[in-house]
Amino acid sequence: MNNGRYGDFGGQYIPETLMNEIHKLEEAYEHYSKDPDFIAELDKLNREYANRPSLLYYAEKMTKDLGGAKIYFKREDLNHTGSHKINNVLGQCLLAKKMGKTRIIAETGAGQHGVAAATAAALMDLECEIFMGKEDTVRQALNVYRMELLGAKVHPVTTGTMTLKDAVNEAMRDWSSRVDDTLYVLGSVMGPHPFPMMVRDFQSVISREAREQILEMEGKLPTAVMACVGGGSNAMGMFYNFINDKDVRLIGCEAAGRGVHTGETAATIATGSVGVFHGMKSLFCQNEYGQIAPVYSISAGLDYPGIGPEHAYLHSIGRAEYVPVTDDEAVGAFEYIARTEGIICAVESAHAVAHLMKIAPEMKKDDIIICCLSGRGDKDVAAIARYRGIDLHE
Amino acid sequence: MNRIENAFKNKKAFIAFLTAGDPTFDSSFENIMSAVKAGADLIEIGIPFSDPIAEGVVIQGADLRALKSGMTTDRAFELAKMVRKETEIPLVFMTYLNPVFKYGYDRFFAKCKEIGIDGLICPDMPFEEKDEADAFAKKHGISIISMIAPTSEERIKSIAESAEGFLYIVSSMGVTGVRSEIKTDLASIMESVKKYAKVPAAIGFGVSTTEQADKMARLSDGVIVGSAIVRIIEKFGEKSAPEIYKFVKSMTDAVHSI
């Protein structure tokens, strides 16, 4: 990596107030990512606290039902806190401790990163404040209470569209007022360098395990690996150790909301253009004057107008494919995998499952697909019921 | 002598920030002209951005009002052109990098030159990332104004040495907004700035009273005031011009009497 650039994408487009702190973080990460004690400590946390390695599960019923490629799920939904987000927060919070920080802040959309951050903060005795769009605190009220149970303070963000991008804005504003004791634990492979690299490294455990597991179970590499993409952290984690395996297709599934032509979408690769925002040069949903566009998806975790710079790069060189998946398709897949495999996955992950259901039948029986189930879907049950017009009263 | 140098000549400068299109195109023109008539030495015209991460709630509000009133980069150029017709005061744009990037660096700075804009301030374009825009700014003779923060420390040297136009000294941690007290050790920051800079340095962020303006101007070459002006517009809307005149007059009197 050179100076946080992936081709032309990436960089460090942040206010001067944060520059020295971001350089300190770069140095600290550079040091500790090679420190055997740090690596051993993180490995222990992953095994004994987060429940790693996560299972690589052969979905026999779906394979038979869809009648094409052999389907495997990488079960990040079985991690402690219920999603892949724990992989990143354990790494960043451990780093925060090593840097002598006593407080972390984080943004959250669906609440999965917020819950994970609050969890790691509780474990490591760090003060924790979470920024969450007010709209999302309503959509995901249970997760707000969960974070509070874990000892975090949740700030509902009332600026802009009151969703994930506004939560990031507010976290950046808070960080620029208080760098001495605070690390901003960013939740995805986005933001200024070193975040895209650091978060990718912590998430790459997904593909490191999956690659070993599939070789052991099948004796060969998969035909394709796939994952949902908002900012893109579970996808980067799922792709990373397969990037050099040129024959393995990498497929990212974006949230198309009501459809890429409706204006109510969050599919950045399908509808965005190059821009500079949230500390990085990447692709963003924006208008002709560079104003960031409001985005929409049924999934609060994919409801973000940008995408991590390494994804923008993998897209630009044609190494990874990105496809839009609508709310309707995702909800259909959410229900299908529940009925067929007995797995209630996150509505985010259901975007990847939906595309899997399209491509698996067209593939040969000796093809293998690994799809990342980034999280579990308990948090989404009420929203899915609402989508189907069912009013749940307790 | 260029216009920016002129603003600091033989006096401390008072720099006023106003957002283009806040709350309407016409009233923002009147407000800018009031600040000019009240004796401001340089005007920062904000091109509104949807997600201004370095701004506090007051200027965020201005951005929202302006975008709602239909302000765009092209309309901001029209507004600046009208101001330029009336006065030779130095004008700099203040916006975020994305609107400039999206407009196209070459096209943006060419337009600045054509209209008579003297500089650009982008809070999310730090020293390390300014080269790509700077090449085009230089081509068209527009100054990119660099910022120095309380956390800049050893970065002051490289930023100050290559600074153009003037240096924007950020008085406090955090975002823009009115502050009752400014705690940063600005005297020692100014000392190292002066060691390396060939251009004047003005202090901004948090300044709202004549007492603060006096204090900041004595430490530096000028004072930048944004949120305190925008707060007037927040209160008086399209009828802000006389109030802005009164406020800017009191501030320029304080700064110019040093």
Side-chain angles (χ1 to χ4, degrees):
Chain A
M1 252 335 296
N2 40 47
N3 211 18
R5 290 280 174 174
Y6 307 85
D8 190 37
F9 301 108
Q12 294 178 313
Y13 299 89
I14 49 168
E16 172 59 23
T17 307
L18 289 172
M19 280 306 286
N20 250 331
E21 189 59 26
I22 222 79
H23 286 159
K24 280 179 201 158
L25 178 62
E26 249 184 284
E27 281 163 30
Y29 180 65
E30 175 71 19
H31 172 80
Y32 286 109
S33 62
K34 295 184 179 108
D35 174 31
D37 291 341
F38 181 89
I39 295 168
E41 219 172 318
L42 182 58
D43 189 53
K44 186 164 185 256
L45 283 168
N46 273 334
R47 274 184 290 113
E48 296 175 13
Y49 188 72
N51 198 28
R52 300 215 72 89
S54 68
L55 296 175
L56 184 69
Y57 165 70
Y58 170 46
E60 197 176 349
K61 282 186 69 194
M62 267 180 75
T63 300
K64 280 198 182 122
D65 187 51
L66 295 171
K70 215 166 169 183
I71 296 163
Y72 282 85
F73 288 115
K74 182 62 176 162
R75 299 291 305 274
E76 294 299 303
D77 58 319
L78 298 178
N79 296 342
H80 180 42
T81 75
S83 81
H84 71 292
K85 294 293 185 187
I86 193 77
N87 307 332
N88 171 40
V89 295
L90 289 175
Q92 283 201 55
C93 287
L94 194 58
L95 186 63
K97 291 292 275 189
K98 301 284 180 200
M99 291 174 77
K101 305 290 184 192
T102 56
R103 175 179 179 259
I104 62 154
I105 53 171
E107 85 293 345
T108 197
Q112 283 176 310
H113 175 55
V115 166
T119 300
L123 179 70
M124 298 187 210
D125 279 322
L126 291 157
E127 198 188 325
C128 177
E129 293 185 39
I130 305 290
F131 295 88
M132 186 170 186
K134 186 154 184 290
E135 191 83 359
D136 293 335
T137 62
V138 176
R139 283 198 276 193
Q140 302 286 348
L142 203 60
N143 269 341
V144 174
Y145 192 66
R146 204 167 270 153
M147 288 181 261
E148 287 167 353
L149 274 176
L150 292 159
K153 187 168 172 12
V154 180
H155 300 279
V157 175
T158 56
T159 51
T161 53
M162 303 190 199
T163 59
L164 184 52
K165 85 171 163 76
D166 309 284
V168 175
N169 293 345
E170 220 43 48
M172 282 189 170
R173 287 180 186 127
D174 179 278
W175 201 27
S176 70
S177 71
R178 192 170 166 184
V179 293
D180 284 348
D181 65 349
T182 301
L183 177 66
Y184 177 13
V185 175
L186 240 161
S188 194
V189 286
M190 46 153 292
H193 177 68
F195 286 108
M197 173 182 80
M198 188 164 74
V199 177
R200 176 255 278 155
D201 288 352
F202 290 138
Q203 292 295 0
S204 67
V205 66
I206 300 174
S207 51
R208 195 160 59 242
E209 289 173 4
R211 200 173 182 284
E212 279 175 25
Q213 289 164 323
I214 199 71
L215 285 175
E216 189 165 315
M217 293 163 88
E218 292 283 347
K220 63 175 183 179
L221 290 171
T223 316
V225 299
M226 53 196 304
C228 62
V229 182
S233 71
N234 94 87
M236 233 19 260
M238 187 71 244
F239 292 175
Y240 189 63
N241 289 286
F242 291 106
I243 291 175
N244 291 331
D245 300 316
K246 297 293 179 210
D247 294 334
V248 178
R249 283 171 68 190
L250 311 175
I251 306 170
C253 305
E254 297 193 293
R258 299 202 163 88
V260 290
H261 301 296
T262 63
E264 286 181 286
T265 179
T268 309
I269 297 258
T271 66
S273 59
V274 181
V276 181
F277 181 52
H278 279 164
M280 57 182 170
K281 184 181 282 183
S282 192
L283 294 163
F284 298 96
C285 299
Q286 54 182 328
N287 74 8
E288 58 169 318
Y289 288 110
Q291 305 293 342
I292 303 302
V295 288
Y296 164 80
S297 161
I298 188 173
S299 141
L302 304 180
D303 200 355
Y304 181 71
I307 190 167
E310 195 166 5
H311 283 296
Y313 174 67
L314 291 174
H315 169 69
S316 73
I317 60 167
R319 178 64 190 94
E321 320 155 38
Y322 296 84
V323 293
V325 175
T326 63
D327 283 0
D328 223 31
E329 293 168 327
V331 171
F334 183 97
E335 293 165 337
Y336 174 80
I337 185 177
R339 272 196 323 270
T340 313
E341 291 290 344
I343 297 171
I344 293 180
C345 72
V347 68
E348 287 81 12
S349 320
H351 284 73
V353 177
H355 189 65
L356 167 78
M357 289 161 62
K358 285 186 215 165
I359 63 169
E362 293 162 8
M363 292 166 78
K364 297 194 298 288
K365 291 215 183 319
D366 60 349
D367 282 326
I368 298 166
I369 302 176
I370 303 177
C371 177
C372 187
L373 289 187
S374 56
R376 68 173 179 232
D378 313 45
K379 67 180 180 59
D380 300 310
V381 171
I384 299 293
R386 251 193 324 274
Y387 190 84
R388 291 300 186 208
I390 296 159
D391 195 11
L392 295 180
H393 284 294
E394 289 189 20
Chain B
M1 179 172 291
N2 74 33
R3 282 185 288 245
I4 294 179
E5 274 175 47
N6 229 357
F8 292 87
K9 196 180 155 197
N10 302 325
K11 63 174 182 305
K12 305 284 187 179
F14 179 78
I15 299 170
F17 167 87
L18 296 107
T19 302
D22 175 25
T24 62
F25 184 95
D26 292 342
S27 63
S28 65
F29 173 72
E30 286 164 25
N31 293 341
I32 290 169
M33 291 315 298
S34 290
V36 174
K37 282 172 196 144
D41 300 293
L42 188 153
I43 304 285
E44 267 184 39
I45 301 176
I47 302 175
F49 182 52
S50 53
D51 297 85
I53 57 151
E55 314 299 343
V57 287
V58 174
I59 295 179
Q60 285 177 45
D63 283 46
L64 282 180
R65 286 191 297 273
L67 287 171
K68 220 173 167 182
S69 80
M71 183 46 62
T72 63
T73 312
D74 282 319
R75 293 281 284 159
F77 276 123
E78 280 173 43
L79 179 70
K81 195 173 173 180
M82 283 169 63
V83 176
R84 180 49 80 224
K85 259 192 193 155
E86 304 283 326
T87 168
E88 271 303 295
I89 193 169
L91 298 172
V92 307
F93 274 137
M94 148 61 228
T95 189
Y96 287 76
L97 191 54
N98 202 45
V100 180
F101 175 81
K102 189 75 183 166
Y103 203 82
Y105 292 136
D106 199 21
R107 182 173 164 231
F108 185 90
F109 291 113
K111 194 94 184 170
C112 285
K113 188 184 179 188
E114 176 197 321
I115 284 167
I117 299 289
D118 304 283
L120 170 70
I121 306 173
C122 272
D124 58 349
M125 180 170 56
F127 180 74
E128 284 81 349
E129 301 289 4
K130 83 171 184 167
D131 287 355
E132 60 179 63
D134 206 33
F136 294 101
K138 283 209 166 70
K139 174 179 159 193
H140 298 289
I142 310 299
S143 304
I144 289 187
I145 311 298
S146 298
M147 299 176 108
I148 284 174
T151 46
S152 292
E153 296 169 3
E154 76 288 347
R155 296 168 53 77
I156 291 177
K157 183 174 187 285
S158 39
I159 296 171
E161 276 177 350
S162 70
E164 287 177 57
F166 69 95
L167 268 160
Y168 191 131
I169 312 296
V170 177
S171 77
S172 312
M173 296 297 289
V175 293
T176 55
V178 172
R179 284 174 172 80
S180 53
E181 204 186 349
I182 292 167
K183 293 180 190 145
T184 310
D185 182 3
L186 288 162
S188 73
I189 291 175
M190 280 308 301
E191 196 182 318
S192 47
V193 166
K194 284 293 161 192
K195 207 154 79 185
Y196 303 112
K198 292 180 282 292
V199 296
I203 300 177
F205 274 45
V207 183
S208 65
T209 65
T210 50
E211 292 76 28
Q212 284 174 323
D214 176 85
K215 198 172 155 198
M216 294 300 129
R218 281 178 201 279
L219 284 169
S220 66
D221 303 307
V223 182
I224 306 159
V225 174
S227 295
I229 294 174
V230 171
R231 218 165 38 167
I232 295 173
I233 299 167
E234 192 180 273
K235 190 170 166 195
F236 294 95
E238 291 185 56
K239 297 185 178 66
S240 302
E243 301 297 326
I244 286 173
Y245 180 86
K246 263 190 269 174
F247 176 72
V248 174
K249 185 80 172 63
S250 70
M251 297 295 267
T252 49
D253 284 351
V255 170
H256 289 161
S257 64
I258 296 168

mmCIF file of all heavy atoms in Angstrom, chain B residues 205-224:
data_model
loop_
_atom_site.group_PDB
_atom_site.id
_atom_site.type_symbol
_atom_site.label_atom_id
_atom_site.label_comp_id
_atom_site.label_asym_id
_atom_site.label_seq_id
_atom_site.Cartn_x
_atom_site.Cartn_y
_atom_site.Cartn_z
ATOM 1 N N PHE B 205 -12.567 30.768 14.004
ATOM 2 C CA PHE B 205 -13.248 29.740 14.827
ATOM 3 C C PHE B 205 -13.539 30.327 16.209
ATOM 4 O O PHE B 205 -12.619 30.557 16.994
ATOM 5 C CB PHE B 205 -12.436 28.440 15.021
ATOM 6 C CG PHE B 205 -12.594 27.411 13.928
ATOM 7 C CD1 PHE B 205 -12.556 27.783 12.599
ATOM 8 C CD2 PHE B 205 -12.775 26.056 14.227
ATOM 9 C CE1 PHE B 205 -12.685 26.837 11.586
ATOM 10 C CE2 PHE B 205 -12.908 25.105 13.222
ATOM 11 C CZ PHE B 205 -12.854 25.491 11.903
ATOM 12 N N GLY B 206 -14.795 30.576 16.483
ATOM 13 C CA GLY B 206 -15.200 30.927 17.839
ATOM 14 C C GLY B 206 -15.235 32.401 18.184
ATOM 15 O O GLY B 206 -15.648 32.767 19.275
ATOM 16 N N VAL B 207 -14.788 33.280 17.260
ATOM 17 C CA VAL B 207 -14.723 34.706 17.592
ATOM 18 C C VAL B 207 -16.085 35.364 17.355
ATOM 19 O O VAL B 207 -16.635 35.283 16.256
ATOM 20 C CB VAL B 207 -13.652 35.423 16.738
ATOM 21 C CG1 VAL B 207 -13.537 36.885 17.138
ATOM 22 C CG2 VAL B 207 -12.309 34.717 16.864
ATOM 23 N N SER B 208 -16.651 36.008 18.384
ATOM 24 C CA SER B 208 -17.961 36.637 18.198
ATOM 25 C C SER B 208 -18.083 38.025 18.820
ATOM 26 O O SER B 208 -18.979 38.780 18.496
ATOM 27 C CB SER B 208 -19.067 35.732 18.759
ATOM 28 O OG SER B 208 -18.923 35.612 20.157
ATOM 29 N N THR B 209 -17.172 38.392 19.732
ATOM 30 C CA THR B 209 -17.304 39.698 20.395
ATOM 31 C C THR B 209 -16.145 40.619 20.007
ATOM 32 O O THR B 209 -15.097 40.159 19.547
ATOM 33 C CB THR B 209 -17.272 39.530 21.932
ATOM 34 O OG1 THR B 209 -15.972 39.035 22.309
ATOM 35 C CG2 THR B 209 -18.345 38.552 22.397
ATOM 36 N N THR B 210 -16.354 41.924 20.227
ATOM 37 C CA THR B 210 -15.285 42.887 19.912
ATOM 38 C C THR B 210 -14.070 42.649 20.811
ATOM 39 O O THR B 210 -12.936 42.837 20.380
ATOM 40 C CB THR B 210 -15.784 44.338 20.084
ATOM 41 O OG1 THR B 210 -16.413 44.449 21.363
ATOM 42 C CG2 THR B 210 -16.777 44.707 19.010
ATOM 43 N N GLU B 211 -14.321 42.202 22.048
ATOM 44 C CA GLU B 211 -13.197 41.920 22.961
ATOM 45 C C GLU B 211 -12.341 40.776 22.412
ATOM 46 O O GLU B 211 -11.115 40.865 22.380
ATOM 47 C CB GLU B 211 -13.696 41.527 24.363
ATOM 48 C CG GLU B 211 -14.374 42.636 25.157
ATOM 49 C CD GLU B 211 -15.799 42.942 24.677
ATOM 50 O OE1 GLU B 211 -16.456 42.021 24.129
ATOM 51 O OE2 GLU B 211 -16.236 44.104 24.818
ATOM 52 N N GLN B 212 -13.027 39.698 21.966
ATOM 53 C CA GLN B 212 -12.281 38.574 21.391
ATOM 54 C C GLN B 212 -11.549 39.005 20.119
ATOM 55 O O GLN B 212 -10.396 38.631 19.904
ATOM 56 C CB GLN B 212 -13.236 37.423 21.045
ATOM 57 C CG GLN B 212 -13.723 36.616 22.242
ATOM 58 C CD GLN B 212 -14.780 35.605 21.830
ATOM 59 O OE1 GLN B 212 -15.607 35.883 20.960
ATOM 60 N NE2 GLN B 212 -14.753 34.431 22.441
ATOM 61 N N ALA B 213 -12.236 39.804 19.288
ATOM 62 C CA ALA B 213 -11.634 40.246 18.028
ATOM 63 C C ALA B 213 -10.377 41.056 18.312
ATOM 64 O O ALA B 213 -9.335 40.872 17.664
ATOM 65 C CB ALA B 213 -12.645 41.069 17.223
ATOM 66 N N ASP B 214 -10.473 41.939 19.288
ATOM 67 C CA ASP B 214 -9.324 42.761 19.668
ATOM 68 C C ASP B 214 -8.156 41.870 20.102
ATOM 69 O O ASP B 214 -7.025 42.026 19.641
ATOM 70 C CB ASP B 214 -9.749 43.702 20.813
ATOM 71 C CG ASP B 214 -8.580 44.522 21.340
ATOM 72 O OD1 ASP B 214 -8.311 45.584 20.741
ATOM 73 O OD2 ASP B 214 -7.928 44.076 22.310
ATOM 74 N N LYS B 215 -8.457 40.913 20.951
ATOM 75 C CA LYS B 215 -7.429 40.026 21.492
ATOM 76 C C LYS B 215 -6.771 39.189 20.384
ATOM 77 O O LYS B 215 -5.546 39.070 20.304
ATOM 78 C CB LYS B 215 -8.082 39.110 22.532
ATOM 79 C CG LYS B 215 -7.115 38.456 23.478
ATOM 80 C CD LYS B 215 -7.873 37.722 24.586
ATOM 81 C CE LYS B 215 -7.021 36.604 25.146
ATOM 82 N NZ LYS B 215 -7.796 35.613 25.882
ATOM 83 N N MET B 216 -7.602 38.620 19.499
ATOM 84 C CA MET B 216 -7.088 37.756 18.423
ATOM 85 C C MET B 216 -6.282 38.569 17.408
ATOM 86 O O MET B 216 -5.264 38.122 16.898
ATOM 87 C CB MET B 216 -8.236 37.031 17.711
ATOM 88 C CG MET B 216 -8.975 36.039 18.583
ATOM 89 S SD MET B 216 -7.872 34.743 19.191
ATOM 90 C CE MET B 216 -8.232 34.779 20.923
ATOM 91 N N ALA B 217 -6.774 39.776 17.108
ATOM 92 C CA ALA B 217 -6.075 40.605 16.123
ATOM 93 C C ALA B 217 -4.718 41.070 16.646
ATOM 94 O O ALA B 217 -3.766 41.223 15.890
ATOM 95 C CB ALA B 217 -6.947 41.804 15.739
ATOM 96 N N ARG B 218 -4.633 41.293 17.942
ATOM 97 C CA ARG B 218 -3.338 41.681 18.514
ATOM 98 C C ARG B 218 -2.324 40.539 18.405
ATOM 99 O O ARG B 218 -1.129 40.761 18.270
ATOM 100 C CB ARG B 218 -3.492 42.074 19.997
ATOM 101 C CG ARG B 218 -4.035 43.468 20.173
ATOM 102 C CD ARG B 218 -4.240 43.846 21.630
ATOM 103 N NE ARG B 218 -5.190 44.947 21.727
ATOM 104 C CZ ARG B 218 -4.855 46.224 21.534
ATOM 105 N NH1 ARG B 218 -3.595 46.553 21.292
ATOM 106 N NH2 ARG B 218 -5.772 47.168 21.596
ATOM 107 N N LEU B 219 -2.822 39.311 18.466
ATOM 108 C CA LEU B 219 -1.934 38.143 18.374
ATOM 109 C C LEU B 219 -1.503 37.849 16.941
ATOM 110 O O LEU B 219 -0.529 37.152 16.701
ATOM 111 C CB LEU B 219 -2.666 36.901 18.899
ATOM 112 C CG LEU B 219 -2.827 36.737 20.410
ATOM 113 C CD1 LEU B 219 -3.800 35.598 20.703
ATOM 114 C CD2 LEU B 219 -1.479 36.449 21.054
ATOM 115 N N SER B 220 -2.298 38.347 15.954
ATOM 116 C CA SER B 220 -2.073 37.919 14.572
ATOM 117 C C SER B 220 -2.220 39.095 13.614
ATOM 118 O O SER B 220 -2.086 40.243 14.022
ATOM 119 C CB SER B 220 -3.093 36.836 14.221
ATOM 120 O OG SER B 220 -4.397 37.398 14.227
ATOM 121 N N ASP B 221 -2.517 38.776 12.337
ATOM 122 C CA ASP B 221 -2.684 39.844 11.349
ATOM 123 C C ASP B 221 -4.146 40.133 11.037
ATOM 124 O O ASP B 221 -4.457 41.016 10.248
ATOM 125 C CB ASP B 221 -1.964 39.452 10.052
ATOM 126 C CG ASP B 221 -0.495 39.153 10.293
ATOM 127 O OD1 ASP B 221 0.192 40.013 10.889
ATOM 128 O OD2 ASP B 221 -0.045 38.049 9.919
ATOM 129 N N GLY B 222 -5.044 39.340 11.637
ATOM 130 C CA GLY B 222 -6.454 39.591 11.357
ATOM 131 C C GLY B 222 -7.354 38.568 12.022
ATOM 132 O O GLY B 222 -6.900 37.603 12.620
ATOM 133 N N VAL B 223 -8.655 38.830 11.894
ATOM 134 C CA VAL B 223 -9.649 37.985 12.546
ATOM 135 C C VAL B 223 -10.700 37.545 11.532
ATOM 136 O O VAL B 223 -11.114 38.337 10.679
ATOM 137 C CB VAL B 223 -10.371 38.778 13.658
ATOM 138 C CG1 VAL B 223 -11.372 37.891 14.378
ATOM 139 C CG2 VAL B 223 -9.383 39.356 14.632
ATOM 140 N N ILE B 224 -11.110 36.279 11.632
ATOM 141 C CA ILE B 224 -12.154 35.754 10.742
ATOM 142 C C ILE B 224 -13.399 35.466 11.580
ATOM 143 O O ILE B 224 -13.316 34.787 12.599
ATOM 144 C CB ILE B 224 -11.693 34.439 10.063
ATOM 145 C CG1 ILE B 224 -10.351 34.654 9.359
ATOM 146 C CG2 ILE B 224 -12.758 33.937 9.086
ATOM 147 C CD1 ILE B 224 -9.575 33.373 9.096
#
